[in-house]
Amino acid sequence: MPALVLIGAQWGDEGKGKATDQLGGRVDYVVKFNGGNNAGHTVVIGGETYALHLLPSGILSAGCTPVIANGVVIDLGVLFTEIDGLEARGTDTSKLVVSANAHVIPSYNRVLDKVTERFLGSRKIGTTGRGIGPTYADKMNRVGIRVQDLFDEKILRAKVEGALELKAQVLLKVYNRKAPAVDDVVEDLLSYVDRLRPMVADTGLLLGQALDAGKTVLLEGGQATLLDVDHGTYPFVTSSNATSGGACTGSGIAPNRIDKVIAVVKAYTTRVGEGPFPTELLDDAGEKLRADGHEYGTTTGRPRRCGWYDAVIARYAARVNGVTDFVLTKLDVLTGWDKIPVCMAYEVDGRRFDEMPMTQTDFHHAVPVYDYFDGWTEDITSARTFEDLPKNAQLYIRALEEMSGAPFSSVGVGPDREQTLELRPLV
Ligand code: GDP
Ligand code: IMO
Ligand code: MG
């Protein structure tokens, strides 16, 4: 079996964690390839809830090897807190492998993330404040600190010194903040090295050899298509490639080894942070979706902005990622609506757009063109097959499938591992 990619189709929080966990039992490796602890995945197994940020969701499947690949940025404090939390609950984390090429998030980048947002004022991005953007910026500026740098104190010190030379000035002169001392940063990073060392490997080589040996590798994306730094709603995006292309650069697995691209898509839409969102509901309907869907961030606890399903976005995600299968989630949250609106296209200043507009200005001004589907009132949380669903729920799924550009392979009717209808096998 080859490699599978699993990514988010919208603005994140589609239920990637649950989908990954579900496949975890059927794959040999689950690889996180982008992002860091800006991600938040809630996985529910038999009533037990797990909140994951940095660890791949495959960590909850016993037979599976979880991998943090080169494309991830790692907050080492968060990594070990999360490991300890899982171990305390009886989850074995001993198989975890971490790339020697992954970048670490030094403390000064968490500070910079927060002060930059404050400085931007009304132009802020609404980041998670975890130092993600500054750490990817350091990577591109070639002043980042990689996991392997922790193995050579002299090199580590030289790199931290180099990075802080400019940042200390910026922190002091622009933001009126004192930068941390080089010694303190180095000491903090080195405090993790003994625990980290046995986990570190050349993960590109490891995964290449695993694929050669016929193993199955699942590449799990953090964030989502419209948060991708190239293909998302820039500048209101994260700082990594969350689309399927990022799975290759972020893991060292070549494109021709990837067999399937699975996109997780919610039966409605949510977004956290700033930026355009055409189907956003600022009224009671939005409040109801937020309440029914428990739409509060796993990472920051912020209320998520809510709106109707947007087929333009789904088609865009299908094209940009080469989606072979959609996993539809949270259908149960839509129970109880008389009519369910779905955005089929946009109108911008009298012009109709069936595809994403080329410019951000047009996307900002996009007014949804809605079609209305009949709702259902029956509780669907115990449905286990497509046929168990009320007729109108079946019609809603088939209509979304037709307009979204790829087949729907499964449907979520609740947060638990069990609450899923499999329409066709993914692995
Ligand atoms: P991720 O970031 O894409 O992994 O998604 P999050 O975990 O941040 O947010 C998705 C939330 O929806 C989590 O609380 C899940 O437990 C929950 N969830 C996932 N699938 C379903 C579903 O089909 N129905 C319901 N009601 N909740 C779901
Ligand atoms: P998962 O993996 C939803 C959003 C932030 C902000 C923007 C940039 O759980 O789907 P960053 O801290 O990354 O620089 O913030 O991206 N964001 C997410 N929104 N789900 C996520 O991850 C997110 N990760 C980042 O809210 O708007
Ligand atoms: Mg999330």
Side-chain angles (χ1 to χ4, degrees), residues 8 12-19 39-44 49-50 52 57 220-223 264 266 268 292-299 304 328-333 381 411-416 419-420:
D13 304 322
E14 296 91 350
K16 298 177 292 291
K18 179 189 162 188
H41 309 303
T42 301
V43 180
V44 186
T49 300
Y50 299 84
L52 301 170
S57 308
E220 177 194 15
Q223 295 76 52
V264 185
K266 223 179 264 198
Y268 50 98
D292 292 353
H294 307 289
E295 296 295 355
Y296 294 88
T298 314
T299 301
R304 295 175 183 151
L328 183 71
T329 62
K330 303 192 96 161
L331 184 70
D332 53 300
V333 174
T381 56
V411 178
V413 292
D416 207 283
Q419 291 176 299
T420 308

mmCIF file of all heavy atoms in Angstrom, residues 8 12-19 39-44 49-50 52 57 220-223 264 266 268 292-299 304 328-333 381 411-416 419-420, ligand 1:
data_model
loop_
_atom_site.group_PDB
_atom_site.id
_atom_site.type_symbol
_atom_site.label_atom_id
_atom_site.label_comp_id
_atom_site.label_asym_id
_atom_site.label_seq_id
_atom_site.Cartn_x
_atom_site.Cartn_y
_atom_site.Cartn_z
ATOM 1 N N GLY A 8 -7.379 19.348 5.423
ATOM 2 C CA GLY A 8 -8.630 20.062 5.648
ATOM 3 C C GLY A 8 -9.020 20.824 4.392
ATOM 4 O O GLY A 8 -8.165 21.380 3.706
ATOM 5 N N GLY A 12 -9.943 24.883 8.575
ATOM 6 C CA GLY A 12 -9.483 24.139 9.745
ATOM 7 C C GLY A 12 -10.631 23.657 10.606
ATOM 8 O O GLY A 12 -11.795 24.011 10.394
ATOM 9 N N ASP A 13 -10.308 22.775 11.556
ATOM 10 C CA ASP A 13 -11.269 22.242 12.524
ATOM 11 C C ASP A 13 -12.404 21.482 11.857
ATOM 12 O O ASP A 13 -13.531 21.449 12.349
ATOM 13 C CB ASP A 13 -11.831 23.371 13.406
ATOM 14 C CG ASP A 13 -10.716 24.135 14.094
ATOM 15 O OD1 ASP A 13 -9.742 23.482 14.500
ATOM 16 O OD2 ASP A 13 -10.822 25.367 14.215
ATOM 17 N N GLU A 14 -12.111 20.840 10.754
ATOM 18 C CA GLU A 14 -13.131 20.065 10.029
ATOM 19 C C GLU A 14 -13.376 18.716 10.687
ATOM 20 O O GLU A 14 -14.383 18.054 10.388
ATOM 21 C CB GLU A 14 -12.680 19.826 8.573
ATOM 22 C CG GLU A 14 -12.538 21.069 7.719
ATOM 23 C CD GLU A 14 -11.131 21.662 7.765
ATOM 24 O OE1 GLU A 14 -10.325 21.208 8.606
ATOM 25 O OE2 GLU A 14 -10.839 22.570 6.987
ATOM 26 N N GLY A 15 -12.430 18.307 11.552
ATOM 27 C CA GLY A 15 -12.516 16.967 12.152
ATOM 28 C C GLY A 15 -11.437 16.050 11.590
ATOM 29 O O GLY A 15 -11.630 14.838 11.501
ATOM 30 N N LYS A 16 -10.284 16.655 11.276
ATOM 31 C CA LYS A 16 -9.163 15.867 10.744
ATOM 32 C C LYS A 16 -8.655 14.868 11.774
ATOM 33 O O LYS A 16 -8.269 13.753 11.441
ATOM 34 C CB LYS A 16 -8.014 16.797 10.322
ATOM 35 C CG LYS A 16 -8.391 17.768 9.213
ATOM 36 C CD LYS A 16 -7.247 18.712 8.894
ATOM 37 C CE LYS A 16 -6.933 19.685 9.998
ATOM 38 N NZ LYS A 16 -7.971 20.715 10.226
ATOM 39 N N GLY A 17 -8.657 15.298 13.042
ATOM 40 C CA GLY A 17 -8.160 14.425 14.107
ATOM 41 C C GLY A 17 -8.967 13.149 14.195
ATOM 42 O O GLY A 17 -8.416 12.055 14.258
ATOM 43 N N LYS A 18 -10.281 13.291 14.170
ATOM 44 C CA LYS A 18 -11.146 12.103 14.240
ATOM 45 C C LYS A 18 -10.913 11.213 13.015
ATOM 46 O O LYS A 18 -10.798 9.993 13.147
ATOM 47 C CB LYS A 18 -12.618 12.528 14.317
ATOM 48 C CG LYS A 18 -13.561 11.343 14.375
ATOM 49 C CD LYS A 18 -15.032 11.719 14.224
ATOM 50 C CE LYS A 18 -15.830 10.481 13.849
ATOM 51 N NZ LYS A 18 -17.215 10.762 13.495
ATOM 52 N N ALA A 19 -10.829 11.829 11.837
ATOM 53 C CA ALA A 19 -10.651 11.039 10.604
ATOM 54 C C ALA A 19 -9.317 10.301 10.621
ATOM 55 O O ALA A 19 -9.237 9.119 10.244
ATOM 56 C CB ALA A 19 -10.742 11.949 9.383
ATOM 57 N N ALA A 39 -2.318 23.856 15.766
ATOM 58 C CA ALA A 39 -3.381 22.884 15.503
ATOM 59 C C ALA A 39 -4.014 22.430 16.815
ATOM 60 O O ALA A 39 -3.384 22.479 17.871
ATOM 61 C CB ALA A 39 -2.810 21.672 14.775
ATOM 62 N N GLY A 40 -5.259 22.020 16.731
ATOM 63 C CA GLY A 40 -5.927 21.428 17.888
ATOM 64 C C GLY A 40 -6.898 20.391 17.369
ATOM 65 O O GLY A 40 -7.803 20.709 16.605
ATOM 66 N N HIS A 41 -6.663 19.156 17.724
ATOM 67 C CA HIS A 41 -7.536 18.081 17.253
ATOM 68 C C HIS A 41 -8.173 17.398 18.451
ATOM 69 O O HIS A 41 -7.469 16.957 19.353
ATOM 70 C CB HIS A 41 -6.739 17.030 16.477
ATOM 71 C CG HIS A 41 -5.871 17.605 15.402
ATOM 72 N ND1 HIS A 41 -6.360 18.374 14.379
ATOM 73 C CD2 HIS A 41 -4.535 17.539 15.206
ATOM 74 C CE1 HIS A 41 -5.368 18.732 13.596
ATOM 75 N NE2 HIS A 41 -4.251 18.255 14.072
ATOM 76 N N THR A 42 -9.495 17.307 18.446
ATOM 77 C CA THR A 42 -10.189 16.589 19.512
ATOM 78 C C THR A 42 -10.605 15.227 18.981
ATOM 79 O O THR A 42 -11.263 15.138 17.950
ATOM 80 C CB THR A 42 -11.426 17.385 19.973
ATOM 81 O OG1 THR A 42 -10.971 18.658 20.424
ATOM 82 C CG2 THR A 42 -12.146 16.682 21.104
ATOM 83 N N VAL A 43 -10.207 14.198 19.690
ATOM 84 C CA VAL A 43 -10.538 12.834 19.278
ATOM 85 C C VAL A 43 -11.287 12.177 20.439
ATOM 86 O O VAL A 43 -10.854 12.268 21.589
ATOM 87 C CB VAL A 43 -9.256 12.031 18.943
ATOM 88 C CG1 VAL A 43 -9.599 10.619 18.509
ATOM 89 C CG2 VAL A 43 -8.454 12.747 17.851
ATOM 90 N N VAL A 44 -12.417 11.564 20.115
ATOM 91 C CA VAL A 44 -13.219 10.916 21.157
ATOM 92 C C VAL A 44 -13.258 9.411 20.884
ATOM 93 O O VAL A 44 -13.666 8.981 19.805
ATOM 94 C CB VAL A 44 -14.660 11.491 21.182
ATOM 95 C CG1 VAL A 44 -15.447 10.918 22.357
ATOM 96 C CG2 VAL A 44 -14.631 13.013 21.261
ATOM 97 N N THR A 49 -12.214 11.700 25.865
ATOM 98 C CA THR A 49 -11.823 12.777 24.961
ATOM 99 C C THR A 49 -10.326 13.080 25.068
ATOM 100 O O THR A 49 -9.789 13.203 26.162
ATOM 101 C CB THR A 49 -12.632 14.044 25.298
ATOM 102 O OG1 THR A 49 -14.014 13.732 25.134
ATOM 103 C CG2 THR A 49 -12.289 15.197 24.368
ATOM 104 N N TYR A 50 -9.673 13.174 23.927
ATOM 105 C CA TYR A 50 -8.251 13.520 23.866
ATOM 106 C C TYR A 50 -8.092 14.799 23.042
ATOM 107 O O TYR A 50 -8.643 14.890 21.947
ATOM 108 C CB TYR A 50 -7.449 12.409 23.183
ATOM 109 C CG TYR A 50 -7.504 11.083 23.898
ATOM 110 C CD1 TYR A 50 -8.569 10.203 23.697
ATOM 111 C CD2 TYR A 50 -6.503 10.709 24.784
ATOM 112 C CE1 TYR A 50 -8.638 8.986 24.363
ATOM 113 C CE2 TYR A 50 -6.554 9.489 25.451
ATOM 114 C CZ TYR A 50 -7.622 8.637 25.239
ATOM 115 O OH TYR A 50 -7.676 7.433 25.888
ATOM 116 N N LEU A 52 -5.328 16.918 21.115
ATOM 117 C CA LEU A 52 -3.945 16.848 20.625
ATOM 118 C C LEU A 52 -3.575 18.142 19.917
ATOM 119 O O LEU A 52 -4.412 18.745 19.245
ATOM 120 C CB LEU A 52 -3.797 15.678 19.651
ATOM 121 C CG LEU A 52 -4.124 14.287 20.195
ATOM 122 C CD1 LEU A 52 -4.179 13.282 19.058
ATOM 123 C CD2 LEU A 52 -3.082 13.876 21.234
ATOM 124 N N SER A 57 -2.382 12.472 15.207
ATOM 125 C CA SER A 57 -3.527 11.800 15.840
ATOM 126 C C SER A 57 -3.361 10.286 15.852
ATOM 127 O O SER A 57 -4.020 9.601 16.629
ATOM 128 C CB SER A 57 -4.816 12.193 15.131
ATOM 129 O OG SER A 57 -4.895 13.602 15.051
ATOM 130 N N GLU A 220 -0.790 13.471 7.646
ATOM 131 C CA GLU A 220 -1.877 14.235 8.255
ATOM 132 C C GLU A 220 -1.546 15.726 8.268
ATOM 133 O O GLU A 220 -0.570 16.150 8.889
ATOM 134 C CB GLU A 220 -2.072 13.746 9.707
ATOM 135 C CG GLU A 220 -3.117 14.515 10.468
ATOM 136 C CD GLU A 220 -3.076 14.270 11.985
ATOM 137 O OE1 GLU A 220 -2.084 13.725 12.503
ATOM 138 O OE2 GLU A 220 -4.044 14.654 12.657
ATOM 139 N N GLY A 221 -2.374 16.509 7.580
ATOM 140 C CA GLY A 221 -2.131 17.953 7.539
ATOM 141 C C GLY A 221 -2.751 18.673 8.722
ATOM 142 O O GLY A 221 -3.854 18.333 9.157
ATOM 143 N N GLY A 222 -2.064 19.678 9.227
ATOM 144 C CA GLY A 222 -2.665 20.601 10.194
ATOM 145 C C GLY A 222 -3.272 21.750 9.399
ATOM 146 O O GLY A 222 -3.011 21.898 8.204
ATOM 147 N N GLN A 223 -4.134 22.564 10.030
ATOM 148 C CA GLN A 223 -4.793 23.687 9.363
ATOM 149 C C GLN A 223 -5.558 23.197 8.127
ATOM 150 O O GLN A 223 -6.047 22.091 8.147
ATOM 151 C CB GLN A 223 -3.785 24.803 9.027
ATOM 152 C CG GLN A 223 -3.182 25.462 10.259
ATOM 153 C CD GLN A 223 -2.120 24.623 10.929
ATOM 154 O OE1 GLN A 223 -1.192 24.170 10.288
ATOM 155 N NE2 GLN A 223 -2.244 24.404 12.213
ATOM 156 N N VAL A 264 -11.010 16.486 4.421
ATOM 157 C CA VAL A 264 -12.068 16.498 5.427
ATOM 158 C C VAL A 264 -12.831 17.816 5.280
ATOM 159 O O VAL A 264 -12.223 18.886 5.197
ATOM 160 C CB VAL A 264 -11.486 16.355 6.848
ATOM 161 C CG1 VAL A 264 -12.601 16.245 7.875
ATOM 162 C CG2 VAL A 264 -10.571 15.131 6.923
ATOM 163 N N LYS A 266 -16.453 19.954 6.563
ATOM 164 C CA LYS A 266 -17.583 20.029 7.495
ATOM 165 C C LYS A 266 -18.869 20.259 6.714
ATOM 166 O O LYS A 266 -18.836 20.909 5.659
ATOM 167 C CB LYS A 266 -17.347 21.212 8.435
ATOM 168 C CG LYS A 266 -17.643 20.960 9.879
ATOM 169 C CD LYS A 266 -17.359 22.197 10.728
ATOM 170 C CE LYS A 266 -15.984 22.164 11.355
ATOM 171 N NZ LYS A 266 -15.828 23.097 12.475
ATOM 172 N N TYR A 268 -20.985 22.290 7.268
ATOM 173 C CA TYR A 268 -21.154 23.744 7.217
ATOM 174 C C TYR A 268 -19.739 24.304 7.256
ATOM 175 O O TYR A 268 -18.801 23.547 6.984
ATOM 176 C CB TYR A 268 -22.041 24.228 8.385
ATOM 177 C CG TYR A 268 -21.629 23.715 9.738
ATOM 178 C CD1 TYR A 268 -20.849 24.486 10.599
ATOM 179 C CD2 TYR A 268 -21.974 22.421 10.153
ATOM 180 C CE1 TYR A 268 -20.441 24.001 11.831
ATOM 181 C CE2 TYR A 268 -21.558 21.939 11.385
ATOM 182 C CZ TYR A 268 -20.795 22.726 12.221
ATOM 183 O OH TYR A 268 -20.385 22.234 13.427
ATOM 184 N N ASP A 292 -24.743 24.296 18.630
ATOM 185 C CA ASP A 292 -25.000 22.889 18.301
ATOM 186 C C ASP A 292 -23.706 22.138 17.953
ATOM 187 O O ASP A 292 -23.570 20.950 18.231
ATOM 188 C CB ASP A 292 -25.979 22.774 17.124
ATOM 189 C CG ASP A 292 -27.379 23.255 17.511
ATOM 190 O OD1 ASP A 292 -27.598 23.535 18.703
ATOM 191 O OD2 ASP A 292 -28.245 23.363 16.607
ATOM 192 N N GLY A 293 -22.773 22.853 17.299
ATOM 193 C CA GLY A 293 -21.534 22.189 16.861
ATOM 194 C C GLY A 293 -20.409 22.322 17.872
ATOM 195 O O GLY A 293 -19.304 21.876 17.613
ATOM 196 N N HIS A 294 -20.676 22.946 19.019
ATOM 197 C CA HIS A 294 -19.622 23.219 20.025
ATOM 198 C C HIS A 294 -18.408 23.841 19.357
ATOM 199 O O HIS A 294 -17.276 23.341 19.480
ATOM 200 C CB HIS A 294 -19.217 21.932 20.770
ATOM 201 C CG HIS A 294 -20.379 21.214 21.357
ATOM 202 N ND1 HIS A 294 -21.068 21.704 22.452
ATOM 203 C CD2 HIS A 294 -21.024 20.085 20.989
ATOM 204 C CE1 HIS A 294 -22.064 20.882 22.733
ATOM 205 N NE2 HIS A 294 -22.078 19.899 21.854
ATOM 206 N N GLU A 295 -18.650 24.915 18.622
ATOM 207 C CA GLU A 295 -17.587 25.507 17.814
ATOM 208 C C GLU A 295 -16.781 26.529 18.610
ATOM 209 O O GLU A 295 -16.924 27.739 18.451
ATOM 210 C CB GLU A 295 -18.176 26.106 16.530
ATOM 211 C CG GLU A 295 -18.800 25.066 15.593
ATOM 212 C CD GLU A 295 -17.784 24.066 14.999
ATOM 213 O OE1 GLU A 295 -16.576 24.220 15.233
ATOM 214 O OE2 GLU A 295 -18.227 23.120 14.316
ATOM 215 N N TYR A 296 -15.919 25.980 19.471
ATOM 216 C CA TYR A 296 -14.957 26.776 20.228
ATOM 217 C C TYR A 296 -13.590 26.140 20.031
ATOM 218 O O TYR A 296 -13.472 24.915 20.050
ATOM 219 C CB TYR A 296 -15.335 26.829 21.720
ATOM 220 C CG TYR A 296 -16.635 27.572 21.922
ATOM 221 C CD1 TYR A 296 -17.849 26.906 21.869
ATOM 222 C CD2 TYR A 296 -16.637 28.952 22.112
ATOM 223 C CE1 TYR A 296 -19.049 27.591 22.005
ATOM 224 C CE2 TYR A 296 -17.828 29.649 22.256
ATOM 225 C CZ TYR A 296 -19.034 28.968 22.207
ATOM 226 O OH TYR A 296 -20.203 29.652 22.334
ATOM 227 N N GLY A 297 -12.563 26.960 19.799
ATOM 228 C CA GLY A 297 -11.243 26.443 19.428
ATOM 229 C C GLY A 297 -10.657 25.480 20.451
ATOM 230 O O GLY A 297 -10.726 25.730 21.650
ATOM 231 N N THR A 298 -10.055 24.396 19.956
ATOM 232 C CA THR A 298 -9.373 23.422 20.816
ATOM 233 C C THR A 298 -8.092 24.029 21.383
ATOM 234 O O THR A 298 -7.637 23.681 22.464
ATOM 235 C CB THR A 298 -9.005 22.156 19.993
ATOM 236 O OG1 THR A 298 -10.132 21.774 19.210
ATOM 237 C CG2 THR A 298 -8.607 21.007 20.867
ATOM 238 N N THR A 299 -7.482 24.950 20.639
ATOM 239 C CA THR A 299 -6.188 25.501 21.048
ATOM 240 C C THR A 299 -6.355 26.767 21.876
ATOM 241 O O THR A 299 -5.760 26.910 22.931
ATOM 242 C CB THR A 299 -5.324 25.801 19.800
ATOM 243 O OG1 THR A 299 -5.151 24.586 19.098
ATOM 244 C CG2 THR A 299 -3.964 26.368 20.170
ATOM 245 N N ARG A 304 -15.610 29.958 17.326
ATOM 246 C CA ARG A 304 -15.359 29.905 15.888
ATOM 247 C C ARG A 304 -16.473 30.633 15.155
ATOM 248 O O ARG A 304 -17.641 30.547 15.539
ATOM 249 C CB ARG A 304 -15.300 28.452 15.421
ATOM 250 C CG ARG A 304 -14.130 27.697 16.017
ATOM 251 C CD ARG A 304 -14.173 26.211 15.630
ATOM 252 N NE ARG A 304 -13.080 25.469 16.257
ATOM 253 C CZ ARG A 304 -13.135 24.175 16.578
ATOM 254 N NH1 ARG A 304 -14.225 23.480 16.317
ATOM 255 N NH2 ARG A 304 -12.106 23.580 17.132
ATOM 256 N N LEU A 328 -17.006 13.774 4.915
ATOM 257 C CA LEU A 328 -17.946 14.805 5.380
ATOM 258 C C LEU A 328 -18.150 14.640 6.888
ATOM 259 O O LEU A 328 -18.400 13.526 7.357
ATOM 260 C CB LEU A 328 -19.279 14.654 4.643
ATOM 261 C CG LEU A 328 -20.350 15.705 4.974
ATOM 262 C CD1 LEU A 328 -19.971 17.070 4.396
ATOM 263 C CD2 LEU A 328 -21.719 15.280 4.454
ATOM 264 N N THR A 329 -18.044 15.737 7.646
ATOM 265 C CA THR A 329 -18.175 15.634 9.101
ATOM 266 C C THR A 329 -19.321 16.496 9.629
ATOM 267 O O THR A 329 -19.778 17.416 8.968
ATOM 268 C CB THR A 329 -16.872 16.071 9.803
ATOM 269 O OG1 THR A 329 -16.618 17.438 9.494
ATOM 270 C CG2 THR A 329 -15.689 15.224 9.383
ATOM 271 N N LYS A 330 -19.736 16.182 10.828
ATOM 272 C CA LYS A 330 -20.682 16.981 11.610
ATOM 273 C C LYS A 330 -22.048 17.175 10.956
ATOM 274 O O LYS A 330 -22.704 18.200 11.151
ATOM 275 C CB LYS A 330 -20.038 18.326 11.977
ATOM 276 C CG LYS A 330 -18.735 18.139 12.751
ATOM 277 C CD LYS A 330 -18.197 19.395 13.375
ATOM 278 C CE LYS A 330 -18.595 19.532 14.821
ATOM 279 N NZ LYS A 330 -17.762 20.483 15.574
ATOM 280 N N LEU A 331 -22.469 16.169 10.193
ATOM 281 C CA LEU A 331 -23.804 16.237 9.594
ATOM 282 C C LEU A 331 -24.875 16.341 10.687
ATOM 283 O O LEU A 331 -25.878 17.043 10.523
ATOM 284 C CB LEU A 331 -24.053 14.993 8.725
ATOM 285 C CG LEU A 331 -25.379 15.011 7.968
ATOM 286 C CD1 LEU A 331 -25.356 16.051 6.861
ATOM 287 C CD2 LEU A 331 -25.711 13.636 7.385
ATOM 288 N N ASP A 332 -24.625 15.673 11.824
ATOM 289 C CA ASP A 332 -25.604 15.671 12.930
ATOM 290 C C ASP A 332 -25.911 17.085 13.442
ATOM 291 O O ASP A 332 -27.005 17.340 13.955
ATOM 292 C CB ASP A 332 -25.082 14.806 14.086
ATOM 293 C CG ASP A 332 -23.676 15.218 14.522
ATOM 294 O OD1 ASP A 332 -22.758 15.147 13.674
ATOM 295 O OD2 ASP A 332 -23.498 15.612 15.681
ATOM 296 N N VAL A 333 -24.939 17.989 13.295
ATOM 297 C CA VAL A 333 -25.123 19.357 13.803
ATOM 298 C C VAL A 333 -26.228 20.081 13.027
ATOM 299 O O VAL A 333 -26.848 21.014 13.527
ATOM 300 C CB VAL A 333 -23.773 20.120 13.739
ATOM 301 C CG1 VAL A 333 -23.938 21.582 14.127
ATOM 302 C CG2 VAL A 333 -22.740 19.450 14.631
ATOM 303 N N THR A 381 -27.584 10.615 15.266
ATOM 304 C CA THR A 381 -26.300 10.275 15.897
ATOM 305 C C THR A 381 -26.084 8.771 16.085
ATOM 306 O O THR A 381 -24.962 8.336 16.313
ATOM 307 C CB THR A 381 -26.137 10.982 17.263
ATOM 308 O OG1 THR A 381 -27.260 10.627 18.091
ATOM 309 C CG2 THR A 381 -26.097 12.483 17.118
ATOM 310 N N VAL A 411 -19.186 9.741 6.289
ATOM 311 C CA VAL A 411 -19.998 10.826 6.847
ATOM 312 C C VAL A 411 -19.976 10.703 8.368
ATOM 313 O O VAL A 411 -20.238 9.626 8.907
ATOM 314 C CB VAL A 411 -21.461 10.725 6.340
ATOM 315 C CG1 VAL A 411 -22.319 11.830 6.967
ATOM 316 C CG2 VAL A 411 -21.529 10.806 4.817
ATOM 317 N N GLY A 412 -19.678 11.810 9.046
ATOM 318 C CA GLY A 412 -19.653 11.819 10.506
ATOM 319 C C GLY A 412 -20.998 12.243 11.077
ATOM 320 O O GLY A 412 -21.588 13.223 10.616
ATOM 321 N N VAL A 413 -21.466 11.495 12.070
ATOM 322 C CA VAL A 413 -22.749 11.834 12.702
ATOM 323 C C VAL A 413 -22.591 12.043 14.213
ATOM 324 O O VAL A 413 -23.561 11.991 14.958
ATOM 325 C CB VAL A 413 -23.823 10.763 12.410
ATOM 326 C CG1 VAL A 413 -24.198 10.771 10.937
ATOM 327 C CG2 VAL A 413 -23.356 9.373 12.851
ATOM 328 N N GLY A 414 -21.352 12.269 14.645
ATOM 329 C CA GLY A 414 -21.067 12.497 16.058
ATOM 330 C C GLY A 414 -19.573 12.451 16.264
ATOM 331 O O GLY A 414 -18.838 11.993 15.378
ATOM 332 N N PRO A 415 -19.093 12.952 17.426
ATOM 333 C CA PRO A 415 -17.648 13.028 17.640
ATOM 334 C C PRO A 415 -16.963 11.686 17.894
ATOM 335 O O PRO A 415 -15.759 11.560 17.702
ATOM 336 C CB PRO A 415 -17.513 13.920 18.876
ATOM 337 C CG PRO A 415 -18.846 13.937 19.535
ATOM 338 C CD PRO A 415 -19.873 13.595 18.495
ATOM 339 N N ASP A 416 -17.698 10.673 18.339
ATOM 340 C CA ASP A 416 -17.049 9.414 18.703
ATOM 341 C C ASP A 416 -16.554 8.650 17.476
ATOM 342 O O ASP A 416 -17.151 8.722 16.405
ATOM 343 C CB ASP A 416 -17.999 8.532 19.520
ATOM 344 C CG ASP A 416 -17.240 7.601 20.449
ATOM 345 O OD1 ASP A 416 -16.708 6.586 19.951
ATOM 346 O OD2 ASP A 416 -17.144 7.915 21.641
ATOM 347 N N GLN A 419 -19.094 6.924 15.537
ATOM 348 C CA GLN A 419 -20.204 7.656 14.899
ATOM 349 C C GLN A 419 -19.846 8.106 13.475
ATOM 350 O O GLN A 419 -19.743 9.290 13.182
ATOM 351 C CB GLN A 419 -20.598 8.848 15.770
ATOM 352 C CG GLN A 419 -21.255 8.397 17.074
ATOM 353 C CD GLN A 419 -21.562 9.544 17.995
ATOM 354 O OE1 GLN A 419 -20.676 10.264 18.425
ATOM 355 N NE2 GLN A 419 -22.834 9.744 18.301
ATOM 356 N N THR A 420 -19.670 7.117 12.631
ATOM 357 C CA THR A 420 -19.243 7.367 11.259
ATOM 358 C C THR A 420 -19.923 6.386 10.320
ATOM 359 O O THR A 420 -20.022 5.199 10.637
ATOM 360 C CB THR A 420 -17.714 7.168 11.147
ATOM 361 O OG1 THR A 420 -17.084 7.947 12.154
ATOM 362 C CG2 THR A 420 -17.197 7.593 9.792
HETATM 363 P P1 GDP B 1 -9.435 19.233 13.436
HETATM 364 O O1 GDP B 1 -8.593 20.384 13.855
HETATM 365 O O2 GDP B 1 -9.727 19.240 11.973
HETATM 366 O O3 GDP B 1 -8.882 17.922 13.908
HETATM 367 O O4 GDP B 1 -10.853 19.426 14.141
HETATM 368 P P2 GDP B 1 -11.112 19.811 15.690
HETATM 369 O O5 GDP B 1 -10.856 18.620 16.523
HETATM 370 O O6 GDP B 1 -10.417 21.078 16.029
HETATM 371 O O7 GDP B 1 -12.657 20.177 15.631
HETATM 372 C C1 GDP B 1 -13.608 19.254 15.236
HETATM 373 C C2 GDP B 1 -14.572 18.992 16.426
HETATM 374 O O8 GDP B 1 -15.689 18.325 15.958
HETATM 375 C C3 GDP B 1 -13.966 18.114 17.504
HETATM 376 O O9 GDP B 1 -14.471 18.541 18.741
HETATM 377 C C4 GDP B 1 -14.493 16.730 17.165
HETATM 378 O O10 GDP B 1 -14.634 15.888 18.307
HETATM 379 C C5 GDP B 1 -15.839 17.055 16.604
HETATM 380 N N1 GDP B 1 -16.340 16.158 15.560
HETATM 381 C C6 GDP B 1 -15.663 15.525 14.572
HETATM 382 N N2 GDP B 1 -16.500 14.882 13.753
HETATM 383 C C7 GDP B 1 -17.749 15.104 14.240
HETATM 384 C C8 GDP B 1 -19.063 14.729 13.805
HETATM 385 O O11 GDP B 1 -19.263 14.063 12.794
HETATM 386 N N3 GDP B 1 -20.120 15.200 14.556
HETATM 387 C C9 GDP B 1 -19.952 15.959 15.675
HETATM 388 N N4 GDP B 1 -21.029 16.369 16.337
HETATM 389 N N5 GDP B 1 -18.730 16.337 16.095
HETATM 390 C C10 GDP B 1 -17.656 15.914 15.387
#
